[in-house]
């Protein structure tokens, strides 16, 4: 199958026209990439543990990898070009990130190979990502903590859908693209804001309480980590003080109506000054009665996919936060994802 092209790949995999922009862009940007290698046997097992993939996913993932990397297959055609696109964009931020990106989720009809395709791409790109980390003097513990987000997203897929796989490839291009790093409790990525300029975006991965002291330690590590390694990108924005931005439901002031003033979430909010919001900026509910931000907070807090307010009302709310999420929507109100920032002093 050496004469495969984008149209033939779509035909063989049963991909409809919505996949044409992605596959055509892959073909144009990377017409003859080198074959994407994939670890095997004990090397694969060790790598899966290093990036946090649970052991119970090994059998299906290993079989899917064999199918996805089979020489001459339409999967291998896609994989070679997806890995080439990812590695070509290492270190690129925002509009600088060239290529077709990580691509859409493949159809469920393709089974395990489709569900694991994007995880296979990140695993195949991992040697290049690790080399990029080494060139930027990223310590091993930071490198592996960052890359272990793949295992986290595999776990999220299992909890949300009941099957193995990974469908957060749009997110994984940040840690596997060389611009996001986990430093203790928090994650930070290089960010270019069209108004505020360059700085860091703050993200809050799941796993443990949002302890204020742990957050402050992460901020301090970010101030020391980014300017010497990514000064070429930050420029003057990394001298003296860094702007830290965060867009999250965790910054929604409405949470303070339900949570104690001393709660970790409310204390996290106080670190940020919210950007001004116009009424048009607040997300509107869809035809089912839920806004995008409603679905976002439900997915993170409950790891559930919901369609209507009735679906939300049926969720088992046990904690104060869970009860707040459910009752707020039951009252016909909606959650928001505001954006805030603060200036972080940089040593030296």
């Amino acid at each position: 199958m050496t004469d495969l092209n984008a149209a033939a790949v779509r035909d063989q995999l049963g991909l409809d026209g919505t996949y044409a922009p992605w596959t055509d862009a892959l073909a144009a940007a990377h017409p003859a990439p080198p074959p994407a290698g994939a670890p095997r046997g004990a090397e694969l097992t060790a790598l899966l543990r290093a990036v946090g993939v649970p052991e119970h996913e090994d059998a299906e993932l290993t079989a899917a990898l064999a199918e996805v990397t089979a020489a001459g297959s339409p999967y291998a055609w896609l994989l070679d070009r997806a890995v080439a696109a990812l590695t070509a964009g290492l270190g690129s931020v925002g509009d600088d990130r060239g290529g077709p990106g990580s691509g859409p989720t493949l159809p469920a009809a393709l089974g395990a190979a489709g569900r694991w395709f994007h995880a296979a791409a990140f695993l195949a790109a991992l040697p290049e990502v690790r080399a990029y980390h080494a060139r930027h003097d990223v310590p091993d513990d930071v490198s592996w903590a960052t890359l272990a987000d793949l295992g986290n997203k595999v776990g999220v897929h299992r909890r949300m859908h009941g099957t193995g796989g990974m469908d957060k490839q749009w997110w994984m291009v940040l840690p596997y693209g060389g611009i996001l790093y986990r430093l203790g409790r928090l994650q930070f990525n290089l960010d270019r804001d069209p108004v505020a300029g360059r700085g860091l975006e703050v993200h809050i991965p799941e796993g443990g309480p949002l302890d204020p002291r742990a957050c402050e330690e992460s901020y301090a590590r970010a101030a020391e980590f980014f300017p010497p390694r990514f000064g070429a990108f930050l420029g003057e924005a990394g001298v003296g003080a860094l702007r830290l931005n965060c867009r999250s439901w965790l910054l929604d002031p409405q949470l303070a109506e339900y949570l104690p003033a001393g709660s970790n979430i409310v204390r996290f909010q106080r670190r940020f000054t919210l950007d001004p919001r116009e009424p048009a900026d607040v997300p509107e509910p869809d035809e089912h009665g839920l806004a995008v931000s409603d679905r976002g907070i439900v997915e993170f807090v409950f790891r559930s996919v919901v369609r209507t307010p009735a679906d939300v009302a049926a969720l088992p709310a046990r904690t104060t936060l869970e009860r707040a999420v459910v009752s707020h929507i039951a009252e016909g109100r909606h959650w928001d994802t505001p954006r805030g920032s603060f200036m972080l002093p940089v040593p030296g």
Side-chain angles (χ1 to χ4, degrees):
M1 295 188 186
T2 56
D3 58 347
L4 276 177
N5 57 32
V9 166
R10 292 195 298 272
D11 182 63
Q12 291 186 30
L13 293 179
L15 306 180
D16 62 28
T18 61
Y19 291 86
W22 175 49
T23 53
D24 289 346
L26 285 174
H30 306 282
R40 305 285 183 186
E43 181 188 0
L44 174 61
T45 300
L47 187 60
L48 293 179
R49 299 295 84 78
V51 297
V53 174
E55 187 174 350
H56 62 258
E57 306 288 5
D58 284 8
E60 185 181 72
L61 175 52
T62 300
L65 270 175
E67 184 174 356
V68 165
T69 58
S73 72
Y75 283 119
W77 187 98
L78 277 178
L79 186 71
D80 294 347
R81 287 156 180 80
V83 172
L86 177 65
T87 56
L90 282 168
S92 300
V93 180
D95 292 339
D96 289 344
R97 180 175 293 281
S102 59
T105 298
L106 296 182
L110 293 175
R115 295 197 310 272
W116 287 108
F117 174 82
H118 290 293
F122 291 115
L123 289 170
L126 205 146
E128 289 291 331
V129 180
R130 286 278 292 160
Y132 180 86
H133 284 180
R135 291 196 299 272
H136 286 77
D137 195 30
V138 175
D140 256 8
D141 62 333
V142 173
S143 177
W144 287 116
T146 297
L147 299 173
D149 211 20
L150 180 62
N152 174 269
K153 297 303 180 284
V154 168
V156 168
H157 189 283
R158 172 68 66 178
R159 297 201 301 277
M160 290 191 66
H161 306 292
T163 59
M166 197 282 295
D167 60 358
K168 302 294 186 185
Q169 61 274 10
W170 55 270
W171 164 263
M172 292 307 303
V173 296
L174 298 177
Y176 279 69
I179 65 169
L180 178 146
Y181 296 89
R182 181 159 188 172
L183 302 170
R185 181 63 184 90
L186 303 174
Q187 296 166 314
F188 305 86
N189 69 268
L190 298 169
D191 179 48
R192 180 192 290 105
D193 184 271
V195 177
R198 302 185 180 204
L200 302 179
E201 190 82 12
V202 181
H203 302 280
I204 307 92
E206 67 177 3
L210 197 58
D211 179 71
R213 180 177 297 179
C215 291
E216 291 300 323
E217 290 174 353
S218 287
Y219 298 142
R221 289 182 66 180
E224 294 179 349
F225 178 85
F226 281 94
R229 293 173 174 84
F230 301 100
F233 171 80
L234 292 169
E236 291 298 316
V239 178
L242 269 171
R243 181 183 177 92
L244 266 59
N245 309 305
C246 181
R247 183 183 295 278
S248 173
W249 59 265
L250 283 163
L251 296 185
D252 190 336
Q254 297 175 108
L255 285 165
E257 300 175 24
Y258 303 92
L259 303 178
S263 73
N264 287 343
I265 290 176
V266 173
R267 293 170 73 182
F268 179 82
Q269 291 182 346
R270 293 191 192 120
R271 199 65 160 89
F272 295 83
T273 299
L274 296 185
D275 294 353
R277 298 280 279 173
E278 298 294 334
D281 296 331
V282 179
E284 290 288 332
D286 60 18
E287 68 273 19
H288 301 294
L290 291 178
V292 171
S293 45
D294 295 329
R295 300 181 193 281
I297 190 171
V298 168
E299 177 178 329
F300 193 96
V301 173
F302 290 95
R303 291 306 181 196
S304 296
V305 177
V306 292
R307 188 166 170 269
T308 67
D311 293 339
V312 178
L315 293 170
R318 301 181 180 92
T319 69
T320 301
L321 177 59
E322 290 171 349
R323 290 190 290 270
V325 171
V326 171
S327 63
H328 189 80
I329 294 173
E331 292 170 7
R333 302 169 70 189
H334 300 283
W335 294 106
D336 196 5
T337 52
R339 186 174 183 274
S341 63
F342 70 89
M343 297 304 295
L344 178 71
V346 172

